[in-house]
Amino acid sequence: MSEAHATVAPPAPAGRSGSVTAWLASERVFRLIPFVLVEAMFLLLLAVPFALTVYISLLKWRANRPFEQAYFEGLGNYVDVLTDAEFWWALARTFYFAGVAVGLELLIGFGLAMLVAQHVRGRRLYITIFLVPMMVVPVVVGYNFSMIYLDSGPLNQILRPLTTLLGVEPRIRWLSHPIAAQWGIILADVWQWTSLTFLIFLSGFSALPPQLVNAARVMGASPWQIFRRVQLPLLKPVIVIAVVIRSMEALKVFDQAVLLTFGGPGNSTQTVAFYLWRQVWQFNKYGFGAAASMLLLVMFAALIYCGIFLLVRQRSAVLREGRA
């Protein structure tokens, strides 16, 4: 009996696409794909605009002239920025706004978080109410406060008995007096962003180990001693986080200065962000604005580095105390 011999065709050679797929599927290459994608996004979104900004900062270019007529200026734009007194006043004013606003937000947010953390009844309702301002669009906040700050607005009506008693002008000109306008911007920022510090501190209070608090209470410690000796040391990393996050945002204040006063009266409420906007979009000084942006980047990066250094040092101290 004859046996049937079946011929088996040899496998077809893999094409170019198959070899590429197999190369990408190898473990050595596959684990590098996320890194390559992240690096590509970094180059596309950060490195390229950064390089263009540096290049423009070295040019003498105004928007009323075509880019072909821009010529190399070198460090001239940086010298112009550093010798501009208005730039330094705007920067100092920005730090003043940020320092006062962040300080008030930290105090108010910390107090509210402590009260909410100690009271269980109605806690969800209080959290919802306190988080509402943070969810409001900054443009809406600016227009609302512009109506509140009117000479005949509700704020002056509320303060009228107090100002009459003190013998002060019953109508405070919130948006036309230099000092009052500055505090008007600060109060608007505090109203909106205290919610963020409240949320950060509330998460810190919620993460505190209750065993330590109960042990201190059993040992006869007073509420003040529990707060000072137990809770506050454990909350120091959270406080540093709140300071760093809010300071980074507060230094970029722009919306309220534009919507409430447009930098006025005079330049009394002109922040550094509004100063840059005016230099670029009103005076068409693109090279000057790019140079000022690079200088601010270096300054703010140094501040952020200091904040992160404090955070890491505080975290290391807490870990050392925990091991001890």
Side-chain angles (χ1 to χ4, degrees), residues 38-110:
V38 170
E39 290 298 319
M41 292 296 295
F42 172 80
L43 291 175
L44 181 63
L45 300 178
L46 294 178
V48 174
F50 178 80
L52 288 175
T53 304
V54 173
Y55 176 65
I56 293 175
S57 69
L58 301 175
L59 301 178
K60 197 70 173 181
W61 176 35
R62 287 180 176 268
N64 54 4
R65 294 193 303 239
F67 185 73
E68 292 79 8
Q69 297 182 8
Y71 59 90
F72 185 75
E73 179 73 5
L75 299 178
N77 288 322
Y78 292 91
V79 175
D80 293 340
V81 174
L82 293 175
T83 55
D84 186 6
E86 190 176 351
F87 169 78
W88 292 108
W89 277 111
L91 185 62
R93 208 174 290 118
T94 302
F95 278 103
Y96 167 69
F97 287 161
V100 176
V102 172
L104 292 175
E105 291 163 11
L106 292 174
L107 291 175
I108 299 173
F110 192 90

Side-chain angles (χ1 to χ4, degrees), residues 214-279:
N214 294 333
R217 189 177 292 115
V218 169
M219 294 174 65
S222 64
W224 169 249
Q225 290 175 332
I226 293 175
F227 169 74
R228 183 182 176 185
R229 301 294 184 181
V230 179
Q231 293 179 326
L232 189 59
L234 295 175
L235 288 173
K236 285 183 179 180
V238 180
I239 296 174
V240 174
I241 291 174
V243 171
V244 172
I245 293 177
R246 269 309 298 145
S247 299
M248 290 168 56
E249 290 296 321
L251 290 173
K252 298 186 295 184
V253 59
F254 176 78
D255 301 329
Q256 310 307 336
V258 173
L259 295 171
L260 291 176
T261 61
F262 206 72
N267 292 329
S268 60
T269 59
Q270 180 178 249
T271 62
V272 70
F274 185 64
Y275 168 82
L276 287 179
W277 180 85
R278 289 188 62 192
Q279 296 297 322

